[in-house]
Amino acid sequence: MKIIRYLDQEGKPGYARQTTEDLFLRIEGDIFGDFQVTGESVNPVRILAPLAPRAILAVGLNYRGHAKEIGSPLPKRPLLFMMLPGAVQHPGGPILLPRGLRSDKVDYECELAVVIGRSCKNATRANALDHVLGYTCANDVSARDWQKEWGGGQFCRGKTFDTFCPLGPCLVTRDSMPDPHSLTIRSMVNGEIRQESSTSDLIFDVPTLIEFLSGSTTLEPGTVILTGTPPGVGVARNPPAFLQPGDEVSVEIEGIGRLTNPVREEEV
Ligand code: MG
């Protein structure tokens, strides 16, 4: 099932099941608990990120092809970093190029995002997916200068600027996506394909990530896990191609849809 979060004509948020391109049935209840799809169709005025995450955990260097393009050996364990929930941007909302703490090296990263639906600690590979509500598209927007040069060795400095985590356009529930490891994933800038790969290239698959992350930390419902990005990022291109004001960047994952955001300069 595809679930969207939306604003209605009165500006009230709600959830709906998307049945066709333009038919949305209102959902009653809590998507992290009990909910029902009603027979009432709704008219979304704006599509929102499918959730306001309570935590965002992200894994870097998790596609073989991406490790290769940046000349890095394959990691032995998942490389974890975190983002503030406030970094989330809605579909269609602008990615703001930082002009306060300025960056001129802002990059895109298409990623499969996993949404945790049931609290878990010490999950095993065998039961890990039982805790997943579903999947969505993410863009792990990255200020490479702050990530690599000026972040003191920590990824989070360059990754957690406001608007740097677009999510959407919908959440596809786990039952509709029994195998998240065979999906075509791509990014586009102004319609030009920059990254195109398959989630089969993941080094650490989704159950392994959930086992690893829940080994240290209780993953509560509403936690989002970004699973890493395939090759083709702007910083690895020759010459490097960073996002510019006026660009439009899309992330597309087979079975989920396309998440598109314009790029603008932050006003300071
Ligand atoms: Mg990433």
Side-chain angles (χ1 to χ4, degrees):
M1 167 183 351
K2 279 189 176 178
I3 295 176
I4 61 150
R5 190 163 68 111
Y6 68 97
L7 291 179
D8 68 12
Q9 291 89 332
E10 276 106 54
K12 263 182 31 199
Y15 277 98
R17 175 180 184 174
Q18 183 172 9
T19 56
T20 62
E21 193 61 31
D22 53 4
L23 182 60
F24 303 93
L25 298 175
R26 190 173 65 82
I27 285 176
E28 213 167 62
D30 175 9
I31 64 159
F32 294 99
D34 290 326
F35 69 91
Q36 295 172 32
V37 181
T38 69
E40 181 194 337
S41 73
V42 294
N43 275 321
V45 169
R46 183 169 180 209
I47 305 289
L48 302 175
L51 76 162
R54 63 184 295 158
I56 306 173
L57 307 181
V59 175
L61 213 61
N62 198 28
Y63 279 75
R64 291 176 187 84
H66 178 53
K68 191 175 170 196
E69 77 173 337
I70 62 169
S72 170
L74 298 189
K76 294 200 167 53
R77 293 177 196 81
L79 188 167
L80 171 68
F81 61 94
M82 296 177 201
M83 279 179 229
L84 294 170
V88 167
Q89 179 57 292
H90 303 295
I95 293 166
L96 296 176
L97 303 174
R99 290 297 177 259
L101 204 59
R102 187 180 177 102
S103 173
D104 291 304
K105 294 185 178 176
V106 177
D107 208 347
Y108 50 84
E109 293 188 352
C110 58
E111 307 210 4
L112 175 71
V114 179
V115 178
I116 296 294
R118 280 177 47 206
S119 176
C120 68
K121 180 77 198 288
N122 293 322
T124 63
R125 267 188 58 78
N127 69 19
L129 293 185
D130 298 347
H131 304 92
V132 171
L133 177 65
Y135 303 93
T136 189
C137 303
N139 191 343
D140 175 18
V141 180
S142 307
R144 299 299 186 197
D145 31 21
W146 287 105
Q147 178 190 354
K148 298 187 175 195
E149 295 158 56
W150 308 325
Q154 299 275 338
F155 276 18
C156 68
R157 174 61 284 168
K159 297 274 193 175
T160 198
F161 284 84
D162 288 354
T163 75
F164 269 25
C165 187
L167 293 176
C170 66
L171 182 147
V172 175
T173 53
R174 172 169 51 96
D175 55 326
S176 298
M177 193 162 276
D179 180 13
H181 307 110
S182 60
L183 309 171
T184 300
I185 178 168
R186 61 173 70 93
S187 67
M188 283 155 286
V189 177
N190 304 325
E192 179 199 26
I193 293 175
R194 296 286 183 88
Q195 299 173 278
E196 188 165 48
S197 183
S198 165
T199 54
S200 62
D201 192 41
L202 282 171
I203 297 168
F204 302 105
D205 66 9
V206 176
T208 302
L209 292 178
I210 292 173
E211 181 182 60
F212 177 78
L213 296 170
S214 74
S216 66
T217 304
T218 302
L219 305 181
E220 299 287 3
T223 298
V224 170
I225 302 170
L226 269 55
T227 56
T229 202
V233 293
V235 71
R237 299 178 79 86
N238 188 14
F242 297 112
L243 295 173
Q244 303 298 324
D247 282 350
E248 186 184 77
V249 55
S250 298
V251 172
E252 193 174 78
I253 300 177
E254 181 183 1
I256 301 175
R258 184 184 291 184
L259 166 68
T260 298
N261 298 89
V263 177
R264 292 196 203 129
E265 288 188 285
E266 177 190 19
E267 285 176 30
V268 291

